[in-house]
Amino acid sequence: VVRTLYKASKDRNIDIRTMADAQKLIVKDGKVVGVQFKQGKKPAQIVHAKAVVIASGGFSANQAMVAKIDPKLKGFATTNQPGATGDGIIMGEKIGAATVDMKQIQTHPTVVPGNGEMITEAVRGNGAILVNHEGKRFYNEGAMGGGAAPICFQPRRMVYTIYDTPTLEETMEEGIRTRGGIEGEYLKRWRQDFQEELDSHNGVSLFVADTLEELAELAGIEKEAFLQEVAHYNEMCKNGVDEDFGKNARNLKPIVQGPFYAIFGKMATDGAFGGVLVNPKCEVYRADKQGVIPGFYAAGDNASGVQANAGKPGDYRMKAFTDYQWAVDGG
């Protein structure tokens, strides 16, 4: 999609500016007619246009903005791209655009430090379990995307992803088979990354032990509660039903064969959806919501009103709609 759009832009002599910070929207007689931007040390410049589209992504990389909307997320890291600072939303608000749905902040655990593939596959629900510092599961691991907010209420806001060896190897190999592009290539080095973490002796991010008892001691998880929780989980796996949190039966894989792994994680933001309110034509509404701002459009995570999320597990049609929107607008 990007290559096609880029070629079409060049064929039409469309000027593409990179590393340019948009500063404000230019408004004349109530209509958006351009953008002021700055590139490096050059003086600010203005581009005049018949219409302006903001597709600058959400705001999860703007910690001040995140904390203002949801104070309990203050100080958390983000795994989103660093440009997701809400610039488009902020510029829209300054010219009187309506904003809504700003509390849709997607959260999830992220490994400390780096090496995100250690936990990425686990939070997709592929067999591992997540426990808190007290050794207890607290959520359906298969729904750890936008619903990871319960991590905020766990002791010390800490989580551990627990794998046994067969499930870890199966999970990573499946990821390599099914993921394309750079993510698939990145997963291929998981064994190397694991070893690097162990060799670093940081005693924080990754723990490996031959027994569950030793694993709990190394990671600082409350041992007796943890052992009881794993035994209970293994019994539910045997029966094929997660009576506690409703995890999909195909991902109920017992934790029985060592070495066992515990991957430490803490809260992070991944996406922050919602922003300026748009109609089905992606025109931006005025703050009074009684009409639109002429010449002003928005798409992607910095817009709200047209996002489509899966209504239920397995609704891939709706998911494809949303993912394609991300691919087109970069948001």
Side-chain angles (χ1 to χ4, degrees), residues 50-74:
K50 294 180 180 179
V52 172
V53 181
I54 57 169
S56 53
F59 58 91
S60 62
N62 185 333
Q63 280 297 326
M65 196 169 178
V66 168
K68 181 178 179 181
I69 293 168
D70 193 344
K72 68 178 179 293
L73 295 179
K74 182 178 181 180

Side-chain angles (χ1 to χ4, degrees), residues 166-186:
T167 300
L168 175 64
E169 293 180 346
E170 179 184 338
T171 295
M172 292 304 179
E173 291 306 314
E174 180 182 352
I176 292 169
R177 288 196 309 270
T178 59
R179 309 238 181 276
I182 192 171
E183 186 176 3
E185 291 299 314
Y186 191 43

Side-chain angles (χ1 to χ4, degrees), residues 15-310:
D15 188 16
I16 298 175
R17 304 291 182 93
T18 59
M19 303 302 291
D21 295 325
Q23 296 180 315
K24 68 177 182 179
L25 299 166
I26 307 302
V27 180
K28 183 178 181 180
D29 298 328
K31 179 181 179 180
V32 176
V33 295
V35 178
Q36 177 179 303
F37 70 97
K38 197 172 188 304
Q39 280 184 296
K41 297 180 180 180
K42 297 179 181 178
Q45 304 174 62
I46 293 177
V47 171
H48 295 281
K50 294 180 180 179
V52 172
V53 181
I54 57 169
S56 53
F59 58 91
S60 62
N62 185 333
Q63 280 297 326
M65 196 169 178
V66 168
K68 181 178 179 181
I69 293 168
D70 193 344
K72 68 178 179 293
L73 295 179
K74 182 178 181 180
F76 285 170
T78 184
T79 54
N80 205 335
Q81 53 93 7
T85 53
D87 294 352
I89 300 169
I90 294 169
M91 289 190 298
E93 287 182 314
K94 287 182 177 179
I95 67 166
T99 57
V100 295
D101 300 334
M102 299 288 280
K103 291 187 177 181
Q104 296 183 53
I105 300 174
Q106 185 183 43
T107 55
H108 68 103
T110 185
V111 73
V112 180
N115 290 343
E117 87 283 358
M118 289 184 179
I119 203 166
T120 297
E121 299 307 312
V123 301
R124 297 181 194 269
N126 292 340
I129 64 170
L130 270 71
V131 300
N132 59 23
H133 179 67
E134 296 175 344
K136 294 290 188 179
R137 289 177 71 214
F138 55 91
Y139 201 67
N140 174 358
E141 293 87 356
M144 290 300 293
I151 298 172
C152 295
F153 303 101
Q154 303 312 308
R156 305 186 194 177
R157 296 178 177 176
M158 294 159 47
V159 295
Y160 298 85
T161 305
I162 308 298
Y163 278 110
D164 73 353
T165 292
T167 300
L168 175 64
E169 293 180 346
E170 179 184 338
T171 295
M172 292 304 179
E173 291 306 314
E174 180 182 352
I176 292 169
R177 288 196 309 270
T178 59
R179 309 238 181 276
I182 192 171
E183 186 176 3
E185 291 299 314
Y186 191 43
L187 283 172
K188 290 180 181 179
R189 54 171 287 156
W190 73 269
R191 295 179 190 276
Q192 175 184 339
D193 284 342
F194 270 45
Q195 193 59 52
E196 288 177 358
E197 287 296 317
L198 292 174
D199 291 344
S200 71
H201 302 295
N202 61 37
V204 174
S205 56
L206 176 64
F207 306 91
V208 183
D210 291 328
T211 67
L212 290 169
E213 290 86 350
E214 183 184 1
L215 186 71
E217 291 174 358
L218 285 174
I221 304 171
E222 294 188 18
K223 183 167 65 173
E224 293 305 318
F226 173 64
L227 295 177
Q228 292 176 12
E229 186 76 337
V230 173
H232 173 58
Y233 178 77
N234 287 343
E235 185 65 24
M236 292 193 296
C237 291
K238 181 180 178 180
N239 297 329
V241 179
D242 181 1
E243 299 175 351
D244 296 335
F245 301 106
K247 187 175 181 179
N248 194 302
R250 69 173 178 271
N251 291 324
L252 288 173
K253 300 173 183 178
I255 300 171
V256 292
Q257 184 176 331
F260 301 96
Y261 297 78
I263 304 165
F264 173 74
K266 67 175 184 178
M267 279 297 304
T269 62
D270 183 48
F273 311 107
V276 295
L277 179 64
V278 298
N279 65 16
K281 294 181 180 180
C282 291
E283 297 171 303
V284 178
Y285 281 104
R286 297 194 307 262
D288 61 11
K289 302 179 185 179
Q290 299 302 308
V292 299
I293 300 174
F296 190 26
Y297 299 80
D301 288 356
N302 56 196
S304 54
V306 295
Q307 281 272 356
N309 295 309

